[in-house]
Amino acid sequence: MTNKEKIIICRCEEVTYGQLQSTADEHKCTARELKLRTRAGMGFCGGRTCRFTLDKIIETVIPDTLPGELPLKYQPPIRPVTFGTVGENQ
């Protein structure tokens, strides 16, 4: 596995670039399928940190896809929280 493949794209779900690329190549996923198969974009941040990279991976796997045609729905948290709050012991 190369260094590029080890880069974590979705920090919330700990999904690497290699996992996303191999899943997209193997299954020829739509954006929604890639999200469901890897859980990228489904963590605490709602995809705000990894959305751009996910969209670019889909554009490379399905070359005719235009940026406006990526049907992913990203939802922000109900209320904003800090990382300190998320990591607190209860």
Side-chain angles (χ1 to χ4, degrees):
M1 185 178 272
T2 65
N3 286 339
K4 183 178 179 180
E5 292 172 338
K6 294 179 185 177
I7 295 172
I8 293 179
I9 301 301
C10 178
R11 294 180 292 182
C12 299
E13 296 293 325
E14 297 183 1
V15 181
T16 65
Y17 178 83
Q19 290 170 314
L20 290 167
Q21 191 67 50
S22 65
T23 301
D25 288 338
E26 180 181 344
H27 299 285
K28 301 297 180 209
C29 299
T30 64
R32 182 174 185 278
E33 289 171 335
L34 183 62
K35 182 178 174 181
L36 293 173
R37 287 181 184 275
T38 63
R39 293 202 41 82
M42 299 176 91
F44 286 119
C45 78
R48 288 184 289 178
T49 58
C50 60
R51 178 180 185 169
F52 180 75
T53 306
L54 288 172
D55 292 348
K56 290 298 176 189
I57 290 171
I58 292 299
E59 289 174 21
T60 60
V61 173
I62 306 171
D64 297 333
T65 304
L66 299 174
E69 296 176 347
L70 298 172
L72 291 180
K73 181 179 179 184
Y74 292 91
Q75 297 177 340
I78 294 173
R79 64 178 187 273
V81 295
T82 64
F83 282 110
T85 304
V86 172
E88 285 180 0
N89 292 331
Q90 296 182 6

